[in-house]
Amino acid sequence: MGNLVVEAGADISVDAPQASGSAFGGDALKEIRAVLGLEELNQFLGGAVACSVTLTGARAGFLFSLSGGGSANCLASRMAQGLKPTLVYSPEIQQSVSQVLKELRSSRATIESPEGHFQFLCIPVACPDGERWCLGILLGPETGDSLEERFAIFQLASQIFERRKQSQKASSLESGFSQASLLLELFHRAGSARDFSLAMNLICAEMRRFVGCHRVAIGFGNRTRLRVEGVSGSSKH
């Protein structure tokens, strides 16, 4: 691929171009919604990378994570015909990616080759807590003077990771609220039972269904003695 010139600390921050609206027309929005609808993680990652490649007209796209040893690990990639799969493991791209993963800011690298100037753009993206991910695209010589426009589109496309993360948080909160409501209703019913034994058995029966286990029992005592107060499946409830 030739020699790589890395512009150290090169933050790429541009305003969204006026022409970028056409890149996010109806078909593009449908593609983004389809990717967001993918529940399986690996399918989503592959779809998100492919979406970035399609919208920016890139030759290739990559998603990297920071491994425990501090090196970059490729999670997903999409490459045009004619590009070797080993490109992702080239020291040039690894160097640029490692910089973004460590500093968490965008970077641009210019790759000189017999075919012309290639641009590798890389930006950090939203990921699970405790991890570091970055998304990169390889633009060919045909990019010309549209680099800033393509980067603005790239930034917009990368927001798909943030949308997924926020959506998962919202779903988790909604699920937690629903479970808490069910538990509150359960304890309210138990509190209305005519005696303590019936209340304990009712809690055990409902907890068994809530958790999905074979049996639930509630007991009180100390390290040497335990008195069972309620058991799911008891005839007393």
Side-chain angles (χ1 to χ4, degrees), residues 30-54:
K30 287 180 181 178
E31 182 176 355
I32 292 173
R33 292 192 186 101
V35 173
L36 285 171
L38 297 173
E39 296 185 4
E40 203 278 321
L41 179 60
N42 288 331
Q43 291 183 354
F44 167 76
L45 298 182
V49 173
C51 186
S52 297
V53 169
T54 300

Side-chain angles (χ1 to χ4, degrees), residues 20-91:
S20 64
S22 59
F24 279 78
D27 292 341
L29 292 176
K30 287 180 181 178
E31 182 176 355
I32 292 173
R33 292 192 186 101
V35 173
L36 285 171
L38 297 173
E39 296 185 4
E40 203 278 321
L41 179 60
N42 288 331
Q43 291 183 354
F44 167 76
L45 298 182
V49 173
C51 186
S52 297
V53 169
T54 300
L55 294 176
T56 59
R59 294 283 192 93
F62 311 97
L63 179 67
F64 294 91
S65 68
L66 187 64
S67 68
S71 60
N73 177 43
C74 185
L75 300 177
S77 65
R78 290 294 184 273
M79 302 180 69
Q81 292 183 352
L83 291 178
K84 296 181 179 180
T86 53
L87 174 66
V88 67
Y89 300 108
S90 67

Side-chain angles (χ1 to χ4, degrees), residues 3-152:
N3 296 323
L4 176 76
V5 179
V6 177
E7 301 180 10
D11 274 333
I12 312 173
S13 180
V14 297
D15 294 331
Q18 296 297 321
S20 64
S22 59
F24 279 78
D27 292 341
L29 292 176
K30 287 180 181 178
E31 182 176 355
I32 292 173
R33 292 192 186 101
V35 173
L36 285 171
L38 297 173
E39 296 185 4
E40 203 278 321
L41 179 60
N42 288 331
Q43 291 183 354
F44 167 76
L45 298 182
V49 173
C51 186
S52 297
V53 169
T54 300
L55 294 176
T56 59
R59 294 283 192 93
F62 311 97
L63 179 67
F64 294 91
S65 68
L66 187 64
S67 68
S71 60
N73 177 43
C74 185
L75 300 177
S77 65
R78 290 294 184 273
M79 302 180 69
Q81 292 183 352
L83 291 178
K84 296 181 179 180
T86 53
L87 174 66
V88 67
Y89 300 108
S90 67
E92 296 91 351
I93 287 183
Q94 292 285 320
Q95 178 183 355
S96 182
V97 167
S98 295
Q99 175 185 330
V100 176
L101 288 173
K102 291 176 182 178
E103 300 179 5
L104 293 180
R105 57 177 186 163
S106 57
S107 178
R108 180 180 68 204
T110 301
I111 301 175
E112 304 285 355
S113 75
E115 292 80 13
H117 299 279
F118 284 80
Q119 298 288 336
F120 181 70
L121 308 181
C122 193
I123 56 178
V125 294
C127 61
D129 294 339
E131 297 188 31
R132 291 191 177 192
W133 290 0
C134 69
L135 184 65
I137 55 172
L138 185 67
L139 298 172
E142 68 279 358
T143 302
D145 297 330
S146 63
L147 178 62
E148 290 190 351
E149 179 176 341
R150 290 176 191 246
F151 183 77

